[in-house]
Amino acid sequence: KLPLPEMKALFYRFKKGEDVSKVFVQKYQDGNFDDIQQLLKNTYLLLPNINILESRINVIEEIIKCYKQNMYAVSTCTALSVIEGMLWDFSYYLNRRGMSLYKDKNHSIVISKADKDIKKVTIRSLLKQTQYGDIFDEYFVKYFCDELYSERNPVMHGIYKSCFSVENASKKLATVEYILDTISEYI
């Protein structure tokens, strides 16, 4: 949601391997939560048969509130669970709408792109090995599977504590925003 010249410059910096998370820090530190706030009111995300946003609105608002109060550990931990929950729920919605992701009603077996059964389903395997991952930008899938997913378990189990920074909390907020925006556009 940046002007094209800024977006191109940012993309080139990213492609060179530069850390561009400061862009998100600047956006959110300046109090610019307008895009997320608009997404929380998005008609498509609030449809009852989708079940993505309605139960999470208050939680996402708390993530923002904690972020504004420099409570980055709370913001980060809560965002991690919201991110994963939204991804799971969106996959269930897509499966109900005809995208063949799950082989069973319990969502315990997924169908890979190679038409193989995957029995130990994780959100990582769902994004990397099924057509579900094609909905999202390849850089998001890479970020999620290589960085965010690897960070998630240690954080949620209280082992990894050095990630509670403004930069990391900003990245998680940007991830929530990206997922909501992607789902909205897809629907």
Side-chain angles (χ1 to χ4, degrees), residues 76-77 80 151-161 163-164 168:
T76 300
C77 289
L80 284 169
E151 173 186 4
R152 179 197 155 281
N153 275 352
V155 167
M156 299 308 277
H157 294 285
I159 299 167
Y160 185 64
K161 300 170 191 93
C163 69
F164 302 133
N168 205 21

Side-chain angles (χ1 to χ4, degrees), residues 31-94:
N32 186 353
F33 297 98
D34 295 346
D35 293 333
I36 294 177
Q37 294 294 344
Q38 283 181 342
L39 287 164
L40 294 180
K41 297 173 188 167
N42 184 296
T43 305
Y44 297 112
L45 295 173
L46 291 169
L47 293 170
N49 65 327
I50 296 173
N51 195 29
I52 301 291
L53 188 57
E54 189 174 358
S55 64
R56 294 184 175 95
I57 290 174
N58 292 338
V59 179
I60 294 170
E61 288 173 345
E62 285 182 24
I63 292 168
I64 294 168
K65 185 177 180 180
C66 289
Y67 183 93
K68 288 179 180 178
Q69 296 176 4
N70 301 327
M71 299 170 65
Y72 302 124
V74 177
S75 183
T76 300
C77 289
T78 307
L80 284 169
S81 65
V82 166
I83 290 164
E84 187 165 344
M86 287 190 305
L87 290 172
W88 281 116
D89 285 349
F90 188 46
S91 75
Y92 304 150
Y93 165 77
L94 292 173

Side-chain angles (χ1 to χ4, degrees), residues 52 56 79-94 101-102 107-113 118-137 140-153 156 175 179 183:
I52 301 291
R56 294 184 175 95
L80 284 169
S81 65
V82 166
I83 290 164
E84 187 165 344
M86 287 190 305
L87 290 172
W88 281 116
D89 285 349
F90 188 46
S91 75
Y92 304 150
Y93 165 77
L94 292 173
L101 295 174
Y102 296 98
H107 306 114
S108 62
I109 302 171
V110 294
I111 305 163
S112 75
K113 289 180 185 179
I118 302 172
K119 294 182 181 173
K120 291 190 179 191
V121 182
T122 64
I123 197 68
R124 178 189 276 173
S125 62
L126 194 61
L127 282 168
K128 277 192 135 178
Q129 298 176 4
T130 71
Q131 62 183 337
Y132 182 54
D134 297 341
I135 291 170
F136 300 94
D137 180 88
F140 166 76
V141 173
K142 184 172 175 31
Y143 163 69
F144 184 89
C145 294
D146 296 346
E147 183 178 332
L148 191 139
Y149 190 82
S150 299
E151 173 186 4
R152 179 197 155 281
N153 275 352
M156 299 308 277
T175 303
I179 292 169
I183 292 171

